[in-house]
């Protein structure tokens, strides 16, 4: 992973799980917020992540208690992969939500997720470390979403890092006078974040691959593969054999060719 535009460079990284997730910038969504979460903040976070679960993406956060752990837990419950960036070593005391971390590490699917730290294994958490790790949370995501934040919330530093890195920040408008959402409103008033009015509409505009469309494509690919004999088949014959349009077959064949399952040459289609 190439971390760019970081105010403080990273000398080393320690990790557990699938490090390849750190390279999937186009699919990584950073979700942050207060530790002192309200019921409304919890509701927003859970519904946001559940909507994101309809798409191919990964949730990035700090695994702290509150919004971070709610985002991770909801992601795991909805078959999304997660990236946790710690403010201490992987084996040190002071992990924000140690039970959730152990749940991830002990789960049969745990290693499909990623836990990162720039600190050695036994390095204990210190206040400044959490602020420093926020630049990595911002760097790993294509954008940052601040769910719920007071004026003094550390998640505002993640938002500032994202802005410095040239990335967009989004947040929910909070009720006037509510301390837990004062940070959200400050970001909006300063023009540093864009407001989320509808979770469904917002997520639909993120240019993420919809799982439903992927499933439909894969469903149409299977009968096409079965219809191709070992000797190969011409496109005209395949069209006559299948009850699909030219555009549907052409799109599926393109995907199959990219996946290395078929070869198309001189209008002859062969399976590999």
């Amino acid at each position: 992973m190439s971390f760019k535009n970081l105010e403080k460079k990273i000398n080393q990284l320690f990790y557990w799980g699938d490090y390849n997730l750190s390279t999937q910038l186009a699919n990584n969504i950073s979700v942050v917020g207060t530790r002192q979460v309200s019921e409304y903040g919890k509701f927003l976070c859970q519904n946001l992540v559940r909507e994101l679960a309809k798409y191919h993406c990964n949730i990035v956060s700090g695994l702290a208690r509150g919004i971070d752990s709610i985002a991770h837990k909801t992601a795991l419950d909805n078959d999304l992969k997660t990236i946790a960036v710690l403010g201490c070593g992987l084996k040190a005391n002071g992990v924000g939500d140690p039970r959730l971390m152990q749940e991830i590490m002990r789960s049969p699917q745990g290693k499909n997720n990623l836990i990162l730290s720039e600190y050695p294994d036994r390095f204990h958490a210190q206040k400044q470390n959490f602020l420093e790790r926020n630049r990595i949370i911002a760097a790993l995501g294509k954008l940052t979403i601040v769910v719920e934040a007071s004026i003094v919330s550390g998640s505002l530093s993640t938002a500032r890092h994202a802005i410095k890195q040239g990335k967009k920040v989004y947040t929910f408008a909070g009720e006037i006078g509510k301390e837990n959402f004062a940070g959200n409103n400050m970001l909006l008033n300063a023009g540093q974040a864009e407001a989320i009015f509808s979770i469904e509409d917002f997520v639909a505009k993120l240019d993420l691959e919809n799982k439903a469309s992927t499933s439909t494509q894969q469903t149409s690919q299977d009968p096409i593969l079965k219809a191709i004999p070992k000797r190969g088949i011409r496109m005209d014959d395949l069209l006559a054999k299948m009850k699909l349009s030219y555009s549907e077959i052409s799109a599926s064949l393109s995907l199959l060719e990219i996946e290395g399952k078929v070869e198309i040459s001189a209008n002859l289609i062969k399976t590999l």
Side-chain angles (χ1 to χ4, degrees):
M1 170 68 185
S2 177
F3 294 97
K4 297 180 179 179
N5 302 323
L6 294 183
E7 294 89 327
K8 179 184 175 183
K9 299 300 180 183
I10 299 171
N11 295 319
Q12 56 189 353
L13 272 176
F14 303 88
Y15 73 95
W16 180 94
D18 184 3
Y19 188 75
N20 287 328
L21 293 180
S22 69
T23 67
Q24 297 177 15
L25 184 62
N27 294 325
N28 292 342
I29 308 295
S30 299
V31 179
V32 297
T34 181
R35 288 174 170 80
Q36 307 301 321
V37 61
S38 66
E39 282 301 314
Y40 182 55
K42 180 179 179 180
F43 167 82
L44 289 174
C45 188
Q46 289 177 330
N47 280 276
L48 171 67
V49 176
R50 285 170 185 156
E51 189 64 29
L52 284 167
K54 296 177 183 179
Y55 300 81
H56 290 287
C57 64
N58 313 306
I59 300 299
V60 185
S61 201
L63 206 66
R65 296 185 188 278
I67 291 296
D68 289 24
S69 59
I70 291 169
H72 278 276
K73 179 65 174 172
T74 307
L76 295 169
D77 289 344
N78 288 273
D79 298 321
L80 282 180
K81 296 177 182 179
T82 61
I83 303 174
V85 185
L86 305 183
C88 62
L90 299 181
K91 296 180 181 179
N93 295 325
V95 175
D97 195 331
R99 289 186 180 181
L100 182 54
M101 180 168 167
Q102 289 303 313
E103 181 181 332
I104 294 170
M105 298 182 81
R106 291 173 182 173
S107 165
Q109 302 300 319
K111 288 196 173 181
N112 293 331
N113 298 276
L114 175 64
I115 302 174
L116 276 176
S117 176
E118 60 180 318
Y119 307 107
D121 281 355
R122 301 293 178 183
F123 190 93
H124 294 303
Q126 298 175 23
K127 187 176 181 179
Q128 67 269 21
N129 301 146
F130 293 103
L131 292 175
E132 286 182 352
R133 64 89 189 269
N134 288 344
R135 76 197 194 284
I136 303 177
I137 294 175
L140 286 169
K142 65 183 292 185
L143 56 93
T144 292
I145 302 170
V146 179
V147 177
E148 179 180 16
S150 68
I151 291 293
V152 296
S153 173
S155 57
L156 294 185
S157 78
T158 309
R160 287 190 288 270
H161 285 300
I163 292 166
K164 288 178 181 178
Q165 293 166 16
K167 299 176 181 179
K168 287 191 174 183
V169 176
Y170 297 88
T171 192
F172 297 94
E175 184 179 345
I176 295 174
K178 289 290 185 182
E179 183 181 344
N180 263 31
F181 283 88
N184 300 45
N185 292 337
M186 183 184 73
L187 288 171
L188 292 172
N189 290 336
Q192 296 176 326
E194 295 183 28
I196 302 173
F197 296 108
S198 163
I199 290 176
E200 186 175 340
D201 291 345
F202 164 70
V203 172
K205 295 176 182 177
L206 291 184
D207 194 28
L208 298 169
E209 186 179 7
N210 192 303
K211 290 179 179 177
S213 64
T214 304
S215 177
T216 300
Q217 290 172 345
Q218 290 174 340
T219 301
S220 65
Q221 286 177 32
D222 292 339
I224 289 174
L225 271 177
K226 291 177 182 178
I228 301 173
K230 290 184 178 179
R231 65 179 183 279
I233 190 171
R234 297 179 68 84
M235 185 63 165
D236 291 344
D237 295 328
L238 184 59
L239 279 167
K241 196 173 184 180
M242 303 294 299
K243 293 181 179 180
L244 295 171
S245 68
Y246 178 86
S247 60
E248 288 175 316
I249 291 179
S250 180
S252 293
L253 285 174
S254 295
L255 289 170
L256 288 168
E257 189 172 27
I258 291 170
E259 293 171 3
K261 294 179 181 178
V262 301
E263 180 182 60
I264 304 172
S265 59
N267 202 33
L268 187 67
I269 305 157
K270 291 183 177 181
T271 55
L272 297 175

